[in-house]
Amino acid sequence: MNFACIVAAIVPLRSPRPANWRLKHYYFISWSYVSLMSAAATEIVVRVLPLTTRGQVGLVALVLSIVTMTIAYVLIGKYRPPAEAPPLSAKLAEQSGVPS
């Protein structure tokens, strides 16, 4: 999952860059980092707590993933970069009445 997010974050950086490429890059890189943090938290808790069954490990992984993703969803939305302004040529076309 992490590798897929990194590849998807690199795609908008190619030329020509699509509209709002920074926002797309931000979201994919952010979720890539979240997946690493979720995996690290799961690994730490599984190593520290005395879990005896695979079911317990799976439940801990599920709960930690949900908590990590919920916190990340709030933080990623809060700190996302502003949307790009339309190009100057589009603004001039609007002022002259020419449909774009």
Side-chain angles (χ1 to χ4, degrees):
M1 189 67 190
N2 186 30
F3 181 70
C5 284
I6 290 173
V7 169
I10 292 173
V11 170
L13 298 179
R14 296 179 308 132
S15 292
R17 291 185 175 161
N20 287 333
W21 66 271
R22 283 189 179 120
L23 195 59
K24 291 176 185 177
H25 178 73
Y26 169 78
Y27 278 120
F28 284 118
I29 286 294
S30 297
W31 284 108
S32 169
Y33 184 72
V34 169
S35 70
L36 290 175
M37 291 296 103
S38 180
T42 301
E43 187 68 25
I44 290 169
V45 170
V46 167
R47 300 276 179 179
V48 171
L49 294 180
L51 302 175
T52 56
T53 65
R54 289 183 185 206
Q56 290 175 338
V57 173
L59 183 62
V60 166
L62 177 67
V63 170
L64 282 173
S65 295
I66 290 171
V67 169
T68 305
M69 287 189 307
T70 303
I71 293 169
Y73 180 79
V74 171
L75 292 176
I76 290 171
K78 182 178 179 182
Y79 293 106
R80 75 173 183 261
E84 293 179 13
L88 183 59
S89 60
K91 289 181 183 178
L92 292 175
E94 283 179 10
Q95 290 175 354
S96 66
V98 177
S100 52

